[in-house]
């Protein structure tokens, strides 16, 4: 019997990746807590969880690419739903960052007697905002411009130019991450140095984690663009990566202004 689909929606096949990814997240969270509290097996559980997450990401993205590019399931209606879903995902990310900034401003706007009633607390040697942080700001904004260049190249059908722009985006992202790591290594305080150290490293480190994820996005898109997956009217995979990267760009301005610049003045 011939069965024809009479609607534009994609009824996905049963997949093991959601439950496997959830188990990986649970294992990495528990392993991270155990490792930081020096429990036996914590490091092994953390590594196993991260390995499961990476394995799930690779195979789940492979399935989505196959469904969209080779099987034609991502119709206009499906792409519209994906756009709404990704916008909601970015909103949830905004709420996560809001929690860390809330913690920073809660302590910096009304410093308690426990930390000397002054911000930054006594004994904390803050970083110069016009050194690596300002350079990283310039690098990240430049990468945002490169992502916009990619989008225009795809819309214009310039395949090779889009690949070049994606390489520039990836290179700038790697330079940003390298400078951030160098700043962490040379920082005169650690995450254990009271409320300042914990809020600083949590807020900037959480952003750095998003930069790493955002770098994987353009790398995947670069491979797909080279293979000819994207067309002028069918390139939501890249659009999602571009939205995510612009979100990372905008978020960086908040820690630069509030934590590095404003938060570093007594």
């Amino acid at each position: 019997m011939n069965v024809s689909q009479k609607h534009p929606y994609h009824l996905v096949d049963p997949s093991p990746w959601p439950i496997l990814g959830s188990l990986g997240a649970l294992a990495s969270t528990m392993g991270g807590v155990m490792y930081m509290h020096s429990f036996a097996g914590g490091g092994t559980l953390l590594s196993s969880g991260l390995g499961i997450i990476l394995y799930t990401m690779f195979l789940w993205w492979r399935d989505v690419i196959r469904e969209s590019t080779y099987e034609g399931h991502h119709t206009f209606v499906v792409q519209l739903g994906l756009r709404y879903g990704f916008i909601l995902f970015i909103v949830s990310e905004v709420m996560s960052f809001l929690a860390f900034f809330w913690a920073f401003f809660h302590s910096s706007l009304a410093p308690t007697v426990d930390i000397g009633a002054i911000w930054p607390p006594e004994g904390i040697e803050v970083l110069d905002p016009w050194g690596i942080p300002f350079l990283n700001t310039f690098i990240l904004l430049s990468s945002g411009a490169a992502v916009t260049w990619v989008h225009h190249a795809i819309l214009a059908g310039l395949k090779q130019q889009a690949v070049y722009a994606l390489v520039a985006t990836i290179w700038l992202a790697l330079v940003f991450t390298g400078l951030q790591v160098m700043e962490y290594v040379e920082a005169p305080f650690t995450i254990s140095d009271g409320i300042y150290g914990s809020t600083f490293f949590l807020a900037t480190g959480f952003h750095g984690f998003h930069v790493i994820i955002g770098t994987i996005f353009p790398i995947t898109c670069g491979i797909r663009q080279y293979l000819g997956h994207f067309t002028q009217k069918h390139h939501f995979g890249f659009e999602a990566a571009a939205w995510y990267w612009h979100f990372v760009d905008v978020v960086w301005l908040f820690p630069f202004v509030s934590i590095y610049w404003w938060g570093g003045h007594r």
Side-chain angles (χ1 to χ4, degrees), residues 17 37 95 99 108 119 137 145 158 165 167 173 182 191 201 211 228 241 265:
W17 311 131
H37 287 81
M95 295 298 104
S108 60
W119 190 268
T137 302
L158 303 174
V167 170
M182 185 175 70
I191 195 172
F201 280 102
V211 170
H265 288 81

Side-chain angles (χ1 to χ4, degrees), residues 43-229:
T44 302
L45 186 59
L46 174 61
S47 302
S48 300
L50 292 176
I52 292 173
I53 291 175
L54 292 174
Y55 177 76
T56 303
M57 286 171 59
F58 178 80
L59 294 179
W60 200 346
W61 285 5
R62 178 208 62 181
D63 290 350
V64 173
I65 291 171
R66 182 181 64 241
E67 292 165 355
S68 64
T69 305
Y70 300 110
E71 298 178 359
H73 288 306
H74 286 191
T75 62
F76 174 79
V77 175
V78 173
Q79 289 185 60
L80 187 63
L82 291 172
R83 284 181 170 86
Y84 288 148
F86 203 81
I87 289 172
L88 291 175
F89 165 71
I90 290 179
V91 171
S92 70
E93 292 284 271
V94 170
M95 295 298 104
S96 299
F97 277 100
L98 182 63
F100 293 118
F101 288 120
W102 187 291
F104 178 81
F105 283 113
H106 176 267
S107 298
S108 60
L109 290 174
T112 62
V113 177
D114 298 336
I115 60 174
I118 191 173
W119 190 268
E122 289 289 348
I124 293 293
E125 182 183 347
V126 299
L127 297 170
D128 180 15
W130 305 111
I132 289 180
F134 181 71
L135 177 59
N136 266 348
T137 302
F138 178 77
I139 291 171
L140 210 55
L141 293 179
S142 299
S143 69
V147 165
T148 304
W149 174 22
V150 178
H151 198 187
H152 283 288
I154 292 176
L155 292 176
L158 303 174
K159 176 182 174 181
Q160 192 174 28
Q161 191 175 128
V163 172
Y164 291 155
L166 278 166
V167 170
T169 303
I170 295 165
W171 183 80
L172 289 168
L174 293 175
V175 171
F176 176 93
T177 302
L179 289 173
Q180 193 76 21
V181 170
M182 185 175 70
E183 182 184 65
Y184 282 176
V185 171
E186 297 180 352
F189 55 89
T190 68
I191 195 172
S192 302
D193 286 329
I195 186 63
Y196 185 89
S198 60
T199 54
F200 174 88
F201 280 102
L202 277 173
T204 59
F206 193 56
H207 177 269
F209 172 75
H210 281 72
V211 170
I212 294 173
I213 299 299
T215 305
I216 298 174
F217 245 144
I219 290 174
T220 306
C221 290
I223 297 172
R224 295 189 63 191
Q225 176 65 18
Y226 180 78
L227 295 175
H229 289 186

